[in-house]
């Protein structure tokens, strides 16, 4: 049903977005409802497998405390291996469709194997015990529910905790989840040992819950201490070392607590041995209560505790809940000494809630925290540095700052100036709002901005208003809190210009904004003659990753051109621009738009409008598509950048792995211009000779910027050698003369 769910979800999402304007709970309720409708049925049947296996393999109710935890450990170990395969093996190698088919095939194989075994199966019915009618005691059910709620809620909190110091990626997420599940396996084995020792079940449960309180309390402090105050991994770590370090950090911070809290549910099988039902029924009932809590826990933590109490407040509340459970069990089932100890734990938990907590923001010297907002999506901080006010997401990703206002506005000016008469514009991503604010300088009638994280919108509105060109006050602007890809794909509106913001390539989900299918959907939302500009952070992309994105664009649009956003050497950005139709550039309209933008900056800058826009043009990717066809396109089925970008980012920090900057960028731009010279470029056919000469001059400016940077870095010899290797022999001499 998953494949049928995708188009239905999209159309209903578009309807809800149009009805609600991107605000409110309707979109969240729709997501939940559709997930329950399409995934609920298979999940329902999958949830029945564990109790039926217990019915077949547990030899009587009196063996629940022995065999039940072992079976639970095996089942959870399978879950950990499944996460390992889903993150590190199957999708990177096969793509999602083949991976999904492989999992379905494995399910069929298990089913066929069960049918074959059934013919020879003698079954466990012969040894099942019978006893007078009765029901499982209320204690196991209540604790099963509470155990699922607290454990899974805590897992969400720990994921948020790790995101503050470990750059989020598909690998980081998977490692934390694998460690969590593996430690749950250890908890199940611990429950088996405890169940076989003849100890009082209430005493064991009180001890487990009390120890869980102490270890959960310690987890946050251990993590902050181990990361040196939420510092990211050092840049010198190789990829394998980085993975091992992340796993070790997870084991240290949450491993002991997870082993203990993971023992609670399996040990409840020991407590339930006195029930009158068959083992499968007992396991099924307890698993149902446990899973019901596991459903509610993440919702409670993400949507209630995070906004109200923050990350560390949520962890403290979960720890306090374990102390309350320990006290409740001791009060009902144990003596005065245990009750006193449990009461002390409750008092300690109350003190923890009232006491100081670690900071969730990493502040360098001279940096002041202005505002902090926590929500279901992450932690948004506004900080004042000596030279800039910045917007930071999850302590790792800087979404913009006031020192970059001019260059961030350029990301709106370039695509809007390329269109002769832009009236409606759409921006994927808000950040500080300065990019979309640049659109207010153009003769637009409407600007729509879609931002995934509502807290980013609130922070930008509250703290960056003076730098956004009145974006939040201008009646032409409409800002919606929605997934930009879905909001754009399933709307009925069309636009003259669509702009994709700079995204972090390694962050989970970002690759979905670089796929061919997404670009095709964007093209469908363009008015005749419209264009789409996807800005790319070259300093965060390897050359191969850049070419993969460019190829996806070339396959989705009839014409794709490349434009510079600046002439920086170390942190350049490029816009891959997809045109709705294959038509020559309107040079007169571009000059007129640029002249209007520069009119208030003096006559000298206004005269620059005759040439500066053409300096920004880097080349015709469609005419030179052979330069990008050596790597596969990024697709919804194989968003390979999700798996390559975290590795290349780690390599770039550690061993100098290539980025599309400096010589690498100059080399690519030179090869692009050599493949399609300005005088032969069909996109420039309508330009005057001096304008085409300005295009060639843009490459010279890029070389100059890189040369100046190389001199600053003391790398003149390496720069000159790279130029000589990348240039045709016919132009080496003039370039060498210019460099000299």
């Amino acid at each position: 049903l998953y494949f049928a769910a995708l188009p239905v979800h999209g159309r209903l999402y578009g309807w809800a977005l149009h009805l609600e304007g991107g605000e409110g709970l309707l979109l969240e309720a729709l997501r939940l409802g559709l997930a329950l409708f399409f995934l609920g049925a298979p999940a329902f049947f999958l949830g029945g497998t564990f109790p039926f296996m217990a019915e077949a393999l547990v030899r009587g109710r009196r063996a629940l405390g022995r065999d039940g935890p072992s079976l639970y450990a095996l089942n959870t170990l399978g879950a950990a291996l499944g996460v390992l395969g889903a993150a590190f093996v199957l999708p990177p190698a096969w793509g999602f469709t083949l991976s999904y088919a492989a999992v379905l095939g494995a399910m069929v194989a298990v089913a066929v194997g069960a049918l074959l075994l059934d013919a020879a199966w003698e079954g466990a019915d012969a040894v099942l015990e019978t006893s007078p009618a009765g029901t499982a005691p209320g204690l196991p059910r209540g604790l099963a529910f509470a155990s699922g709620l607290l454990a899974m809620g805590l897992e969400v909190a720990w994921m948020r905790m790790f995101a503050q110091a470990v750059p989020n990626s598909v690998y980081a997420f998977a490692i934390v989840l694998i460690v969590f599940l593996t430690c749950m396996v250890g908890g199940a084995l611990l429950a088996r040992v405890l169940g076989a020792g003849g100890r009082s079940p209430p005493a064991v449960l009180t001890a487990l819950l009390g120890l869980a309180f102490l270890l959960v309390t310690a987890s946050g402090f251990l993590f902050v201490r181990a990361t040196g105050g939420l510092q990211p991994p050092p840049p010198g770590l190789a990829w394998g070392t980085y993975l091992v370090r992340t796993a070790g950090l997870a084991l240290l911070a949450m491993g002991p607590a997870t082993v203990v809290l993971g023992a609670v549910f399996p040990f409840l099988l020991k407590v339930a041995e006195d029930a009158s039902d068959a083992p499968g029924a007992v396991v099924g009932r307890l698993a149902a209560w446990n899973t019901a809590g596991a459903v509610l826990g993440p919702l409670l933590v993400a949507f209630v505790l995070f906004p109200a109490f923050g990350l560390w407040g949520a962890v403290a509340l979960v720890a306090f809940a374990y102390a309350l459970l320990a006290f409740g069990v001791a009060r009902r089932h144990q003596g005065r000494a245990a009750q006193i100890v449990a009461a002390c734990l409750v008092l300690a938990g109350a003190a923890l809630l009232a006491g100081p907590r670690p900071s969730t923001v990493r502040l360098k010297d001279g940096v002041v925290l202005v505002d902090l907002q926590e929500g279901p999506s992450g932690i948004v901080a506004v900080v004042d540095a000596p030279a800039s006010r910045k917007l930071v997401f999850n302590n790792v990703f800087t979404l913009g700052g006031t020192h970059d206002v001019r260059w961030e506005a350029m990301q709106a000016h370039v695509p809007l100036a390329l269109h002769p008469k832009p009236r409606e514009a759409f921006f994927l991503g808000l950040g500080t709002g300065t990019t979309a604010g640049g659109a207010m300088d153009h003769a637009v009638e409407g600007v729509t901005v879609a931002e995934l994280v509502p807290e980013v919108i609130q922070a930008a509105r509250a703290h960056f208003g003076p730098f956004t060109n009145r974006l939040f006050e201008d009646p032409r602007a409409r800002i919606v809190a929605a997934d930009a890809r879905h909001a754009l794909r399933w709307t009925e509106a069309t636009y003259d210009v669509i702009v994709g913001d700079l995204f972090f390539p390694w962050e989970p989900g970002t690759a979905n904004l670089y796929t061919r299918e997404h670009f095709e959907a964007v093209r469908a939302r363009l008015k005749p003659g419209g264009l789409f500009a996807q800005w790319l952070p070259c300093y965060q992309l390897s050359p191969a990753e850049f070419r993969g994105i460019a190829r996806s664009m070339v396959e989705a649009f009839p014409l794709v051109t490349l434009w510079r956003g600046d002439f920086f050497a170390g942190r350049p950005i490029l816009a891959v621009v997809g045109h709705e139709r294959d038509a020559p550039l309107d040079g007169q309209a571009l000059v007129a738009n640029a002249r209007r933008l520069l009119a208030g900056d003096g006559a000298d800058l206004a005269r620059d409008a005759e040439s500066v826009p053409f300096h920004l043009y880097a080349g015709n990717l469609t005419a030179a598509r052979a330069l990008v066809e050596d790597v596969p396109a990024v697709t919804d089925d194989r968003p390979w950048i999700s798996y390559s970008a975290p590795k290349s980012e780690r390599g770039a920090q550690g061993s100098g792995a290539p980025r599309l900057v400096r010589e690498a960028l100059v080399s690519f731009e030179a090869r692009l211009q050599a493949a399609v010279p300005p005088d032969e470029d069909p996109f420039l056919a309508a330009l005057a000779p001096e304008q085409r000469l300005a295009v060639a001059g843009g490459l010279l400016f890029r070389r100059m910027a890189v040369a100046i940077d190389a001199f600053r870095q003391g790398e003149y010899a390496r720069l000159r050698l790279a130029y000589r290797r990348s240039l045709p022999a016919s132009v080496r001499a003039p370039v060498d003369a210019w460099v000299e």
Side-chain angles (χ1 to χ4, degrees):
L1 290 175
Y2 167 76
F3 298 101
L6 294 179
V8 174
H9 170 268
R11 295 200 176 278
L12 290 177
Y13 187 95
W15 166 79
L17 183 69
H18 176 75
L19 180 68
E20 210 175 33
E23 304 291 341
L25 295 177
L26 181 59
L27 291 175
E28 299 298 335
L30 181 66
R31 287 192 186 101
L32 179 60
L34 288 170
L36 287 174
F37 180 78
F38 284 104
L39 303 182
F44 173 85
F45 289 108
L46 286 172
T49 58
F50 179 66
F52 270 95
M53 284 187 280
E55 180 74 13
L57 299 175
V58 176
R59 296 292 182 172
R61 293 191 316 277
R62 295 299 176 184
L64 270 173
R66 180 194 66 209
D67 297 340
S70 299
L71 191 61
Y72 183 79
L74 283 171
N75 191 255
T76 308
L77 179 61
L81 293 174
V83 174
L84 180 66
F88 288 86
V89 181
L90 293 180
W94 295 350
F96 285 122
T97 300
L98 278 179
S99 298
Y100 203 89
V103 174
L104 293 178
M107 288 183 178
V108 172
V110 171
V112 172
L115 289 173
L116 295 176
L117 286 172
D118 183 64
W121 183 256
E122 295 181 0
D125 294 338
V127 297
L128 287 177
E129 303 165 8
T130 59
S131 63
T135 58
L139 176 64
R141 295 185 191 181
L143 283 181
F145 176 82
S147 172
L149 184 146
L150 296 177
M152 292 309 298
L154 187 62
E155 193 263 347
V156 170
W158 279 337
M159 287 288 187
R160 172 69 58 84
M161 178 180 74
F162 268 81
Q164 306 314 304
V166 180
N168 196 16
S169 70
V170 63
Y171 298 112
F173 179 87
I175 286 173
V176 176
L177 185 54
I178 289 169
V179 170
F180 181 83
L181 292 171
T182 303
C183 292
M184 294 285 284
V185 173
L189 298 178
L190 174 63
R192 177 188 170 107
V193 172
L194 295 174
R199 302 171 182 84
S200 165
V204 171
L205 286 172
T206 301
L208 287 174
L209 294 168
L211 191 56
F213 159 72
L214 296 174
L215 294 174
V216 170
T217 299
S219 65
F221 295 96
L222 282 172
F223 183 80
V224 173
R225 181 68 179 271
T227 56
L230 301 180
Q231 294 296 323
L237 293 180
W239 176 244
T241 306
Y242 166 77
L243 294 179
V244 172
R245 180 188 184 275
T246 303
L249 185 61
L251 280 171
L252 173 66
M254 69 183 195
T258 305
V259 169
V260 172
L261 61 90
V264 174
F265 172 72
F267 187 78
L268 292 176
L269 299 177
K270 172 69 176 179
V271 180
E273 284 183 343
D274 292 332
S276 63
D277 296 312
V282 174
V283 171
R285 185 178 297 113
L286 290 180
W289 282 99
N290 185 257
T291 306
V295 170
L296 183 61
L299 295 174
L300 178 65
V301 168
F303 290 93
V304 179
L305 299 189
F306 281 162
F309 302 100
L311 168 60
W312 301 125
V315 174
L317 282 168
V318 171
F320 183 62
Y322 276 112
L324 288 176
L325 287 175
F327 178 74
V329 173
R331 186 171 181 273
R332 290 188 59 185
H333 301 281
Q334 290 193 264
R336 183 171 297 275
Q339 294 178 21
I340 292 174
V341 172
C344 290
L345 292 178
V346 172
L347 292 176
L352 174 68
L353 289 174
R357 304 184 185 113
S359 173
T360 53
V361 180
R362 183 176 64 250
L363 297 176
K364 299 179 181 179
D365 292 340
V367 178
V368 179
L369 179 65
V370 176
D371 189 18
L372 183 69
Q373 299 185 38
E374 299 195 39
S377 300
I379 298 176
V380 176
V382 179
V383 298
D384 273 345
S388 173
R389 171 167 289 183
K390 297 181 180 180
L391 183 62
V392 182
F393 181 68
N394 272 349
N395 220 31
V396 175
F397 305 111
T398 300
L399 304 184
T402 55
H403 68 295
D404 289 330
V405 168
R406 179 181 178 186
W407 296 109
E408 290 178 4
M410 278 286 289
Q411 296 169 43
H413 293 327
V414 171
L416 286 167
L418 286 175
H419 194 285
K421 293 182 179 180
R423 292 291 181 262
E424 296 288 338
F426 186 100
F427 288 80
L428 290 87
L430 175 71
T432 60
T434 52
T435 294
M440 300 297 102
D441 286 333
H442 296 260
V444 293
E445 297 173 357
V447 173
T448 302
V449 187
E451 169 57 50
L452 181 63
V453 182
E455 290 77 18
V456 168
I457 299 176
Q458 298 167 17
R461 189 191 305 272
H463 301 286
F464 292 88
F467 307 97
T468 61
N469 204 13
R470 297 185 56 80
L471 174 69
F472 296 102
E473 293 81 27
D474 198 306
R476 296 175 294 170
R478 173 173 170 263
I479 301 171
V480 297
D483 182 304
R485 169 169 168 155
H486 285 99
L488 189 60
R489 180 170 186 171
W490 299 108
T491 183
E492 296 298 325
T494 55
Y495 304 91
D496 299 294
V497 176
I498 299 174
V499 181
D501 204 351
L502 294 170
F503 306 117
F504 296 94
W506 58 84
E507 194 173 14
T510 295
N512 294 330
L513 297 172
Y514 293 148
T515 66
R516 181 181 59 219
E517 291 83 356
H518 169 59
F519 294 152
E520 290 170 345
V522 170
R523 181 187 174 190
R525 300 271 67 82
L526 289 175
K527 295 178 183 293
L531 58 91
F532 165 58
Q534 177 59 64
W535 288 99
L536 298 177
C538 299
Y539 50 91
Q540 293 173 344
L541 290 167
S542 70
E545 289 160 357
F546 170 82
R547 295 198 302 275
I549 297 170
R551 177 172 180 175
S552 300
M553 284 281 281
V554 168
E555 293 182 358
F557 285 87
L559 173 64
V560 177
T561 57
L562 188 65
W563 294 79
R564 304 177 182 96
D566 52 51
F567 288 96
F568 298 148
R571 294 179 63 86
I573 63 173
L574 290 174
V576 184
V577 178
H579 302 257
E580 188 271 337
R581 61 180 57 168
D582 186 358
L585 173 65
D586 187 340
Q588 291 183 346
L590 177 58
V591 169
N593 288 336
R595 186 180 291 120
R596 185 174 61 254
L597 285 172
L598 297 172
D601 295 329
D604 291 340
L605 285 179
R607 283 194 296 270
D608 287 343
E610 304 292 333
S611 59
V612 168
F614 305 102
H615 292 327
L616 300 178
Y617 179 70
N620 189 327
L621 286 171
T622 298
R625 62 185 303 158
L627 295 179
V628 300
E629 289 185 329
D630 61 328
V631 295
V634 185
T635 65
D636 283 352
D637 184 54
R638 301 198 70 173
W640 55 270
I641 286 181
S642 288
Y643 303 96
S644 71
K647 296 179 182 179
S648 61
E649 170 66 14
R650 176 52 39 188
Q653 292 184 7
S655 59
R659 281 283 183 261
L660 194 65
V661 298
R662 299 185 173 91
E663 297 99 320
L665 180 55
V666 168
S667 175
F668 180 80
E669 289 188 1
R671 288 187 289 123
L672 179 59
Q673 196 168 106
V676 189
D679 288 337
E680 301 174 13
D681 190 342
F683 183 64
L684 306 180
L687 298 189
E690 60 271 17
Q691 292 172 332
R692 290 197 293 271
L693 183 62
V695 169
L699 180 58
L700 183 64
F701 280 124
R702 176 72 80 189
R703 292 186 187 281
M704 185 184 301
V706 174
I708 292 171
D709 179 75
F711 276 115
R712 288 175 176 172
Q713 302 297 326
E715 298 175 346
Y716 167 69
R718 181 171 64 86
L719 174 71
R720 182 173 180 180
L721 178 62
Y723 278 172
R724 290 183 60 83
R725 289 176 176 173
S726 64
L727 292 175
S730 60
V731 296
R732 285 180 186 171
V735 171
D736 281 349
W738 173 80
V739 172
E740 292 293 348

